[in-house]
Amino acid sequence: MDLILNPFVTLLTFLYSVLGNNMVLAIVVFTIIVRLLMYPLTAQQLRSSKAMQKLQPELKALQEKYKNDREKLAQEQMRMYREYGINPLGGCLPLLIQLPIFLALYQAIIHVLAANPTQLIDLSGRLLIPGLERSIPLNNMWLGMNLTQPPNLGDGTGTIIGIGLVVLVVVTTYIQFKVTMPPPTPSDDGKPNQAQAMTQSMGTIMPLMYGFFALSFSVGISIYFIVSNLVGIAQYALMGQANFGNLFGRGAPAPAAPSGPARVEGKAAVPAGKPGRKSSTRPATRKNN
Amino acid sequence: MFKAMPIKRLRLALASAAVALLTAACIGFPADPTWGTMMLVGSPPRIMFAFNDRIVQVNPVDGSLVELRDSEGRVRLDEQGNPRVWEVRSAGANGPATFYTAPIIVDEDTLLVAAFDRRMYQVDWPAARILNPDGIALAGHIVANPLATENMLYVPFSEGDLVALRRPGFSEVWTLDTPRGIWSEPVLVDGTLYVASLDHHLYALDAETGAERWRLDLRGALASKPVYYEGHLYIGSFGRRFFKIAPTGQIVAEYETRGWVWGSPALVDGVLYGADLDGYVYALRDQGTRFTPLWEPRQVATGAIRATPVVANNTLIIGSRDRMMYWLSRITGEELVRRQMVGEVLGDLLLLEPSETLNIREPMVVVSTMTQEELLVAFTVETGERLWVYRR
């Protein structure tokens, strides 16, 4: 973890020193930089997710066909993935690669805002650029709040700002979750399926969980959460994948079955509803989301 | 295995693992904010040790907890008939307190202890009993020892101020406000209070009025207590320097180190002994306006050396964050002995010499760690033989 953490700590401290010793600005810029660097992985994750979604009708047909034979179902699923050139873990692997990066980003903020001797001793071995120690300790006060402490909710103006930060964390987390959620796939009986129901629940639980974190963790981390969420929303919007309609419950459902051949990353078009066939020479019809 | 496992379950398992990891990272790993403090108190002398949720007194002869005795010298017993030991804990309305700084001796019956959670407690010393369980609220956290004189108490706060209080009533007399906080004990010399701050400045103040006589920018955070030796002040900074400073506020000499200097140096026979957070140890001859190495700086440890080295006869004793104790030759810097510890050594070492009141056979050095299995460990100075361990 130090291989990632130490450069992050160094970068964050460097940004602080060149941005007028402004810790909040340094956190904002640092978060944006790291999220931008992670963009290729984010895009890859999204593409994989989209491809998987397009195969849902085919997968559902397989599940119905082999509902009493789990092993056969698994085999057929893997065969289909291979045929369409989809890695079923393609959405997860970028996430797993990104995870230590985001953990390091989060930990870097905690380390740099060293609030006590134990933390400051730990910081001493992490700055890779000589001379940065002249910035230590970093100014951890912002609008009367200590960035290393949780928001103080009994302290006049600090209360308003503290509550505002918590609300922003909840709201931005909620918005990011909603706009990055793929449109629901209608089931045969018109009711949301179990996976969708679980996703809906996550959309409620996650923002509340992050709101709780914001109450318990340092103000600096809350700022990181807010900026990270906003950058995530912006990235999806720029990729044309943000489903803002989901915010108001008007997200267009995904089609039950594609009207033309599904186009899969890296493979020529394959006919819809006919698993197992090799690709034909017909051009694919791109579906709009 | 993964082929047979339904993909959905595998994705759910991976997602759950990711959430668990993320939650763990968000929650962080609890740790003590700082290390403990030892001091020798009383007659016969006892080691008073403040760390985490309690303050104890330990017998330097064998590391056992000191027993409470009544006015006739009889051991006090608890309800089960077990000897009561000298141990101070707080569990008032604000919950258990944590202690990391040395108690302040008010008189032979009373101590003042500053808890990390921004409260001050009065303690009945002979009975080891807190007199005000809810404590007195303080303006901030305290990680450095306050300085007590006959008339005054100087309390350094880790977030900014140093407050001067007049004894016995502890009314506030003056305040020094610094932008980054004070993590070291002030030093009083001839009516001048020297305060080292994380804001890179060493302040010289009139101890009575708080009037600033001078301040000196030492180009790096100062986390250690300045040492007054033969008319000059000596201190190390995070700017990778040792400094020799005149009482008038001029830098007389300086020496560049490899790493940040946190601990106070030790000065013996005109030689400054110090260490840095990169594990280097220095022996610098003070030659007036410059320092010259007695021997080349040695990277003795693989971890940070925070504590002041102990100088005993021709031996230099060092404790490090790499969980090792080192005995070096003071003359050549050569390593003589090393001892493995269970925990990191960050707190200051305590050197004890045999005396009429201190009934120990030979000089010993006592080391504190942040690990319950070896909170205090005593070694002989000469050979590094382990004498006793205090654990919880």
Side-chain angles (χ1 to χ4, degrees), chain A residues 55-239:
Chain A
L55 271 190
Q56 285 306 309
E58 316 273 353
L59 289 170
K60 202 172 174 190
L62 277 182
Q63 285 166 6
E64 191 58 39
K65 184 177 177 184
Y66 297 108
K67 62 184 174 184
N68 295 321
D69 188 346
R70 284 207 173 274
E71 191 172 337
K72 183 68 176 175
L73 172 63
Q75 286 173 0
E76 288 300 313
Q77 281 179 330
M78 290 307 298
R79 188 185 55 76
M80 179 180 291
Y81 292 138
R82 275 196 303 273
E83 197 165 300
Y84 288 113
I86 292 176
N87 182 348
L89 299 179
C92 295
L93 283 176
L95 179 65
L96 286 177
I97 294 172
Q98 290 176 73
L99 191 59
I101 306 290
F102 288 130
L103 289 179
L105 188 156
Y106 170 85
Q107 288 285 339
I109 295 173
I110 292 179
H111 278 79
V112 158
L113 289 176
N116 58 53
T118 306
Q119 292 174 350
L120 194 56
I121 283 251
D122 190 75
L123 178 61
S124 69
R126 299 189 182 279
L127 295 179
L128 303 175
I129 300 176
L132 278 181
E133 65 270 5
R134 290 175 193 243
S135 300
I136 303 299
L138 307 193
N139 180 8
N140 54 23
M141 295 303 293
W142 179 65
L143 299 180
M145 292 189 297
N146 189 327
L147 291 170
T148 67
Q149 303 293 323
N152 186 351
L153 300 185
D155 187 22
T157 309
T159 303
I160 298 170
I161 299 172
I163 292 175
L165 279 177
V166 174
V167 168
L168 276 175
V169 169
V170 173
V171 168
T172 55
T173 305
Y174 176 80
I175 293 175
Q176 184 184 224
F177 189 88
K178 279 293 187 182
V179 303
T180 57
M181 198 169 65
T185 306
S187 59
D188 293 336
D189 58 5
K191 295 178 185 174
N193 60 37
Q194 191 178 20
Q196 290 168 11
M198 195 168 76
T199 304
Q200 296 282 350
S201 300
M202 289 290 285
T204 306
I205 294 170
M206 288 284 286
L208 292 177
M209 191 172 77
Y210 273 78
F212 174 74
F213 287 160
L215 278 173
S216 312
F217 300 154
S218 64
V219 171
I221 294 301
S222 294
I223 293 171
Y224 155 67
F225 282 154
I226 293 167
V227 175
S228 184
N229 290 339
L230 290 174
V231 172
I233 294 167
Q235 282 180 327
Y236 268 74
L238 287 172
M239 285 192 286

Side-chain angles (χ1 to χ4, degrees), chain A residues 19-32:
Chain A
L19 291 174
N21 291 352
N22 187 319
M23 193 62 219
V24 170
L25 198 51
I27 291 174
V28 170
V29 173
F30 176 62
T31 305
I32 291 172

Side-chain angles (χ1 to χ4, degrees), chain B residues 281-360:
Chain B
V281 178
Y282 304 84
L284 306 173
R285 276 199 211 89
D286 179 359
Q287 295 192 310
T289 56
R290 63 193 180 107
F291 290 113
T292 55
L294 183 65
W295 29 265
E296 275 305 300
R298 292 170 48 96
Q299 189 172 27
V300 169
T302 56
I305 301 174
R306 204 278 335 158
T308 302
V310 162
V311 183
N313 298 330
N314 288 325
T315 306
L316 201 58
I317 305 174
I318 307 285
S320 169
R321 200 177 179 207
D322 63 3
R323 304 170 201 263
M324 297 294 289
M325 289 291 299
Y326 300 90
W327 276 251
L328 310 179
S329 162
R330 181 157 77 101
I331 310 303
T332 64
E334 178 193 349
E335 182 180 311
L336 304 172
V337 172
R338 63 166 64 183
R339 295 285 180 244
Q340 178 77 51
M341 305 285 293
V342 173
E344 299 175 342
V345 180
L346 288 170
D348 279 323
L349 315 183
L350 184 64
L351 175 66
L352 302 179
E353 304 267 14
S355 67
E356 286 181 5
T357 52
L358 188 55
N359 187 21
I360 54 178

Side-chain angles (χ1 to χ4, degrees), chain B residues 16 54 91 108 153 175 187 198 203 249 278 285 288 298 301 313 325 342 362 368 375:
Chain B
S16 302
R54 70 195 79 171
E108 61 184 16
L153 179 66
T175 300
V187 170
L198 288 185
Y203 295 86
D278 282 1
R285 276 199 211 89
R298 292 170 48 96
N313 298 330
M325 289 291 299
V342 173
E362 56 184 307
S368 68
L375 281 171

